Amino acid sequence: MKKLKPILFILGCYLFITCSCSNNSKDQEPVLIPEASSLVFPIDNTICNEGTIISATQSSVLFKWSASENTDSYVINLLNLTTNISKSYDANTNELAVTILRGNSYSWSITSKNNGTEETAESTVWNFYNAGLPVENHVPFPASIISPSMGSSINAGTITLEWKGNDIDNDIASYEILLDTNSVPTTIIGSSTDEFINTLVTTGEIYYWKVISYDALGNSSCSEVFQFKVK
């Protein structure tokens, strides 16, 4: 009987711990990952004429996006494509008025956040031109990548570089393409009136490339630098 008591004591402790852990696990709710928002306004690739004019150089624009599931707060990611200066703004609802420069081009996106996790969700990226004093022509938006995708690995040989150009005036005349193995490419591999160009790449190399868009009046914009690896 004396030997049985320690065994019963250990068994009782085991059952207590097991039940306690089981009950705790049931009480813990799973952390929900935030979902991405859909952008609403300013609309992609348009002139933004809405907002409150503050001065000759600034206006207040009300950014709007859809409320996303499992989200406690949002961050507006705003990049001035004219000055290349980026800023971020916190929001607790799905709209926020932001003071921005008139007569400048911007790109924007929304980051959805949940207080219970560090994981976030990113919306798509939209471009717009914030209206300023009347102008006869606008600088093209920077070209966006199509293929090869950023950081992808592709086979050696002749490949096709593809991109998408955008311009409010719809007067892009040509593109100049730079590609080499330097992180800031300087080698011009050709010009094109189409949104693609063929080129030869070598095994084992990492390539960097960018596109310069020119409109009919000679205004230009430079894309970000894209990168891919050749197997």
Side-chain angles (χ1 to χ4, degrees):
M1 188 65 182
K2 291 183 178 180
K3 293 183 179 180
L4 186 59
K5 287 183 178 180
I7 296 175
L8 291 175
F9 176 77
I10 294 171
L11 179 60
C13 291
Y14 173 79
L15 291 173
F16 175 79
I17 294 172
T18 303
C19 292
S20 298
C21 292
S22 177
N23 290 334
N24 289 337
S25 63
K26 288 181 180 179
D27 293 337
Q28 291 177 349
E29 295 183 0
V31 175
L32 299 176
I33 306 303
E35 296 184 8
S37 293
S38 297
L39 305 185
V40 176
F41 185 85
I43 299 172
D44 193 24
N45 295 324
T46 61
I47 299 176
C48 176
N49 292 302
E50 297 185 24
T52 302
I53 295 176
I54 298 174
S55 67
T57 59
Q58 292 183 319
S59 64
S60 177
V61 174
L62 185 62
F63 288 77
K64 300 179 181 180
W65 58 94
S66 68
S68 57
E69 295 292 330
N70 310 323
T71 300
D72 295 313
S73 62
Y74 305 91
V75 177
I76 300 179
N77 309 298
L78 188 63
L79 172 63
N80 186 320
L81 299 172
T82 305
T83 64
N84 202 36
I85 295 175
S86 60
K87 293 183 178 181
S88 60
Y89 303 87
D90 296 323
N92 293 319
T93 63
N94 59 318
E95 62 178 42
L96 184 70
V98 180
T99 299
I100 58 177
L101 294 176
R102 300 175 65 192
N104 281 233
S105 296
Y106 288 88
S107 70
W108 72 289
S109 65
I110 293 294
T111 301
S112 300
K113 302 174 70 176
N114 183 305
N115 294 336
T117 176
E118 293 185 357
E119 291 194 47
T120 59
E122 303 294 331
S123 71
T124 56
V125 179
W126 279 7
N127 299 323
F128 71 94
Y129 178 83
N130 190 35
L133 298 175
V135 294
E136 295 183 358
N137 189 267
H138 304 86
V139 174
F141 289 119
S144 55
I145 185 176
I146 295 180
S147 178
S149 58
M150 185 67 170
S152 62
S153 182
I154 64 174
N155 294 322
T158 300
I159 65 166
T160 300
L161 303 177
E162 296 182 72
W163 61 90
K164 176 65 177 176
N166 285 300
D167 183 77
I168 291 174
D169 308 303
N170 197 29
D171 65 346
I172 293 181
S174 64
Y175 302 96
E176 189 173 69
I177 302 87
L178 291 76
L179 175 137
D180 55 41
T181 56
N182 298 311
S183 58
V184 181
T186 57
T187 304
I188 300 172
I189 63 169
S191 297
S192 175
T193 55
D194 297 312
E195 295 178 330
F196 66 89
I197 192 171
N198 295 322
T199 190
L200 185 66
V201 293
T202 305
T203 298
E205 296 286 359
I206 296 176
Y207 286 90
Y208 302 86
W209 64 292
K210 63 181 181 180
V211 177
I212 302 175
S213 305
Y214 294 94
D215 69 12
L217 295 183
N219 297 314
S220 65
S221 66
C222 186
S223 75
E224 64 178 298
V225 175
F226 310 126
Q227 172 244 318
F228 61 89
K229 182 178 181 180
V230 183
K231 298 177 184 178

